[in-house]
Amino acid sequence: MRRAILAAALALAAAGCGEPKALVDNCHIGVYRLADGALVDVAPAPGGLRWRLMDGRTGLLAAGSDGGWTSKLGWTGRPDGVAVTFGTCAENRIGFAGQAGQRLSFQTLETRFAGHGGVELAGRLVLPPGAGPAPVAVMVHGSEDTSARDFRIEQRLWPAQGVAVFVYDKRGTGGSNGRYTQDFDILSDDAAAAVGEARRLAGARTGRVGLDGSSQGGWVAPLAASKTPVDFVIARYGLADGPLAEDKGEVLLGLAEKGYGPDVLEKAGRVADATGEIMSSGFKEGFDTLAALRKQYGREPWWKDLEGEFTGQIVHAPGPLVRLVGPHMDKGTSWTYDPMRVLSTLPTPVLWVLAGADREAPPDETRRRLVALAEAGRPVTVIEFPDTDHGIMEFEAAEGGRRMTRYADGYYRAVLDFARDGRLEGAYGAARRLAQPGPRPTP
């Protein structure tokens, strides 16, 4: 959900290279209406372009030497047999799986506005066709350090279905000024400012306005909603627990999946608590505790299998390197943030979308907390897509991990429906509805 700070530092020191740049200037990027009425979005992606359908199917398009395109299933690298062609840049057309399609256009308003501390942020409002009021979803970032205006697909797919989108580059990314940070208070101030700017730009077309946060945005969006009035909040595959709990949850889940039992998990939890103290103290405290645990358990078989958001990197890296590199790589993450302080009192209706097999944000404690909030009368709706990983992605087993194949059917529809009117009706693929608002208990 966040950059694994030490892992990033060590990777840069060891490799000195990054992933391929996406084709953000490709003229075929856009959303197309096919002959049968379906929508297909074409987005920039490392290595080419990525198409997505509203039912969650997706493929990576790689350009061939003959000017054609080859489509590969999800993130598997295997051909999927989907034939895709494009017209010239001026023609705005696509051929997709035997159907012709035409690119859609929308009213788009570019802007610059002031976030926390007066930092100038670059934003964009994309309005659906028509002249009447429309719901407005303000996109709140995860931990990515790339331009949201380049990569957020909602700015095309949502307006094609009647929902306006305001997207902005996080401070220190894309066209925005300032320094990149993972300080939730600063980021939530920026998100609250984005809500105000979205309302201003939409003017008479302003309908329901809400915040839609994914991953790390699940912490930031509710916090922003506590600072400015909104009509809804959506949190996708985020945690209702703190950032340190994310790492500990990953550590324990990883060991449990390798077959280790409760005795090992108890020991590993103590290790994660020590590395959490190191991180939250700015690499000033916790080293003595970790050294004692290493002396006690370091030769046990499970020690080599420690992973997590940062625990694995800390315990497996040389101590002097951790002390040297760590303080310079921390991006101000709000390590001790407690989301329940906001969620337990927030009056805004919230939709929380969980990935049932999420390895990056293990959902068990979040599920328990959210269901308890709903049972206590808070306006929280919780749905879970089983057998999906972070991003609400379906996957197949692969040596050493998982290969993502697609997004879950019903995922996009649920998010859109909640943005439109705050209600979920009917089935959303395999999603399970775990909680929804009930009557408030009598004092």
Side-chain angles (χ1 to χ4, degrees):
M1 294 173 74
R2 292 162 277 99
R3 295 284 182 189
I5 294 170
L6 186 62
L10 297 176
L12 286 171
C17 61
E19 67 178 3
K21 289 186 177 181
L23 304 178
V24 295
D25 295 324
N26 190 286
C27 70
H28 303 311
I29 293 169
V31 62
Y32 297 80
R33 180 84 65 185
L34 301 180
D36 66 356
L39 296 169
V40 58
D41 183 74
V42 177
L49 299 171
R50 177 164 294 281
W51 61 262
R52 292 173 176 86
L53 298 175
M54 277 298 299
D55 65 7
R57 286 177 288 169
T58 182
L60 179 67
L61 294 173
S65 58
D66 60 354
W69 296 83
T70 300
S71 180
K72 297 180 180 180
L73 174 68
W75 288 261
T76 67
R78 299 196 306 270
D80 56 17
V82 178
V84 179
T85 59
F86 295 99
T88 66
C89 289
E91 290 176 322
N92 296 321
R93 61 180 176 83
I94 192 173
F96 183 86
Q99 291 195 71
Q102 196 69 29
R103 184 161 54 186
L104 305 179
S105 61
F106 309 100
Q107 182 183 2
T108 300
L109 303 172
E110 304 286 345
T111 187
R112 300 190 71 81
F113 64 102
H116 176 94
V119 168
E120 190 176 69
L121 305 175
R124 173 185 299 145
L125 177 68
V126 185
L127 291 163
V136 181
V138 178
M139 297 292 128
V140 181
H141 320 77
S143 61
E144 69 273 9
D145 58 5
T146 52
S147 166
R149 294 181 304 150
D150 283 344
F151 293 103
R152 291 302 296 245
I153 65 167
E154 295 90 345
Q155 65 186 303
R156 297 180 296 272
L157 274 172
W158 277 207
Q161 297 171 94
V163 176
V165 167
F166 185 82
V167 61
Y168 65 100
D169 291 343
K170 181 189 296 187
R171 58 178 52 224
T173 73
S176 290
N177 296 339
R179 178 177 294 181
Y180 176 88
T181 183
Q182 295 187 24
D183 183 311
F184 301 162
D185 192 54
I186 292 175
L187 294 176
S188 62
D189 282 352
D190 289 348
V195 169
E197 183 66 1
R199 290 185 190 274
R200 186 189 72 82
L201 288 176
R205 296 208 60 191
T206 304
R208 288 164 45 82
V209 178
L211 291 150
D212 182 344
S214 53
S215 194
Q216 186 185 92
W219 286 312
V220 177
L223 183 56
S226 73
K227 298 179 177 182
T228 190
V230 290
D231 299 297
F232 64 90
V233 171
I234 297 171
R236 317 189 207 177
Y237 45 95
L239 289 177
D241 205 345
L244 293 179
E246 177 189 9
D247 171 74
K248 188 172 182 178
E250 288 185 34
V251 169
L252 300 183
L253 179 61
L255 292 176
E257 289 183 343
K258 288 180 170 64
Y260 293 106
D263 58 331
V264 168
L265 299 187
E266 189 275 331
K267 297 173 185 177
R270 293 168 60 193
V271 176
D273 289 340
T275 59
E277 184 180 7
I278 291 172
M279 293 296 292
S280 62
S281 69
F283 293 82
K284 297 176 183 176
E285 301 174 9
F287 286 100
D288 290 344
T289 302
L290 180 60
L293 292 168
R294 186 191 304 276
K295 183 177 181 180
Q296 187 174 5
Y297 303 128
R299 295 185 179 181
E300 296 190 11
W302 57 270
W303 187 273
K304 70 180 186 307
D305 291 326
L306 286 168
E307 297 177 0
E309 190 78 11
F310 53 77
T311 287
Q313 286 73 39
I314 289 178
V315 301
H316 299 314
L321 180 61
V322 173
R323 291 176 183 268
L324 176 66
V325 173
H328 300 289
M329 294 304 296
D330 193 342
K331 302 303 181 182
T333 305
S334 302
W335 294 112
T336 60
Y337 177 68
D338 178 7
M340 293 300 289
R341 292 180 182 176
V342 171
L343 294 173
S344 61
T345 59
L346 190 68
T348 310
V350 175
L351 170 65
W352 210 287
V353 186
L354 292 174
D358 198 328
R359 281 181 167 174
E360 187 169 342
D364 289 355
E365 179 62 14
T366 290
R367 182 191 304 115
R368 185 194 69 78
R369 292 183 175 201
L370 294 173
V371 169
L373 284 175
E375 290 176 346
R378 305 312 305 170
V380 178
T381 299
V382 185
I383 63 172
E384 180 174 316
F385 288 87
D387 303 319
T388 63
D389 206 335
H390 206 62
I392 318 299
M393 293 181 180
E394 297 180 2
F395 56 87
E396 60 187 24
E399 185 176 355
R402 297 169 170 176
R403 283 192 293 259
M404 305 304 160
T405 57
R406 55 171 292 162
Y407 299 92
D409 185 18
Y411 164 45
Y412 291 155
R413 290 189 291 108
V415 171
L416 271 167
D417 283 354
F418 198 82
R420 287 192 187 101
D421 58 21
R423 293 194 298 270
L424 298 185
E425 297 181 355
Y428 295 92
R432 299 181 297 199
R433 199 169 306 190
L434 303 182
Q436 57 190 22
R440 292 181 180 274
T442 302

